[in-house]
Amino acid sequence: MTEVDVILDRLNSDSIAQTMILIQPEEQVGNRVNCAVHFLRYMRLGLPDGERKDNGFVFLIVVEPNSIDVHYGVGLGLPALTASELTSLNRIAEDTYQSTKSLDLALLTLIQEFDTVARSNYSPLTSPTPAQEITYLPTLPSGPLGILSICGLLCIGVLFLLFLIWLLPKLARSGINFNPYGSRGSGFPLGGGRSSPRSRGGSGSSRSGRGN
């Protein structure tokens, strides 16, 4: 199971297929083809959007007294996986179980073969690395020119401060007052308003599939 998980995790991380395996005794399964497809939809396998949307896949292994019966459900986002290829995988797993009577070995063989077929039809899809935004800060010239620039900026700041000190008393004598808390105005509170009604909505998704 660990080896199988490693293979399936790589298929998922490469955006090739999101795969699950359902193992059931025969008395728990009615229509075996529909069971695989319904389980695919129920688990909502597959990417919800993008180039590999609906790339879900399910293997159903029905355990019988002396054999296994393998079926599959495949999402619509994997059209390159043909029925002949996938049916051959089912037969390989069934034959492996017949010769070894090992469900573990049959499962591992099935997934190894599926990995080969899936990768022969789909290459890994990697997301492009977003380009880092570089911010360039303004720099002052170095050397004597830089010192002169700093002195010039300081002189401008001092002159502006002196201008304010000279201007404020004149404005005060002319009857213009500055209130840091704001002037009195209308009786409507600031920041208020009519609340908008809450929007109602919802979303859902399902996965389509086809089975053998």
Side-chain angles (χ1 to χ4, degrees):
M1 293 302 298
T2 301
E3 295 179 61
V4 168
D5 286 340
V6 170
I7 296 173
L8 297 185
D9 286 343
R10 288 174 180 169
L11 286 173
N12 183 36
S13 62
D14 289 339
S15 298
I16 295 177
Q18 288 187 3
T19 310
M20 292 190 71
I21 302 163
L22 178 63
I23 302 175
Q24 292 283 0
E26 60 177 342
E27 62 270 13
Q28 296 293 326
V29 183
N31 188 312
R32 299 180 180 184
V33 175
N34 290 343
C35 178
V37 176
H38 290 167
F39 186 70
L40 172 69
R41 294 173 178 170
Y42 173 76
M43 296 304 298
R44 298 189 176 185
L45 294 175
L47 296 175
D49 49 34
E51 182 178 341
R52 298 285 170 82
K53 178 181 178 181
D54 289 333
N55 64 335
F57 194 96
V58 166
F59 276 114
L60 169 65
I61 300 178
V62 181
V63 181
E64 300 173 345
N66 298 309
S67 63
I68 60 173
D69 185 21
V70 183
H71 295 265
Y72 66 84
V74 56
L76 296 179
L78 297 172
L81 298 181
T82 63
S84 59
E85 289 177 320
L86 298 176
T87 302
S88 297
L89 299 183
N90 296 351
R91 302 293 88 83
I92 291 173
E94 293 166 359
D95 293 342
T96 301
Y97 182 83
Q98 284 293 336
S99 60
T100 64
K101 298 302 178 181
S102 170
L103 183 58
D104 288 340
L105 188 56
L107 177 60
L108 180 59
T109 302
L110 173 66
I111 298 306
Q112 287 174 338
E113 295 295 327
F114 174 68
D115 180 71
T116 301
V117 170
R119 292 185 181 278
S120 67
N121 287 280
Y122 294 99
S123 58
L125 183 64
T126 57
S127 301
T129 303
Q132 295 182 353
E133 183 177 351
I134 301 176
T135 304
Y136 295 96
L137 298 176
T139 58
L140 293 174
S142 59
L145 186 58
I147 297 175
L148 290 176
S149 299
I150 295 174
C151 291
L153 292 175
L154 290 176
C155 292
I156 293 174
V158 171
L159 290 175
F160 182 72
L161 181 61
L162 292 175
F163 173 75
L164 289 180
I165 294 174
W166 172 81
L167 180 62
L168 289 178
K170 290 184 176 298
L171 293 178
R173 286 196 296 270
S174 64
I176 300 176
N177 296 322
F178 289 92
N179 184 358
Y181 298 100
S183 58
R184 289 175 292 177
S186 62
F188 294 100
L190 296 176
R194 292 188 296 270
S195 61
S196 60
R198 296 181 180 177
S199 61
R200 297 190 297 271
S203 63
S205 65
S206 63
R207 300 288 176 265
S208 301
R210 62 181 189 273
N212 65 323

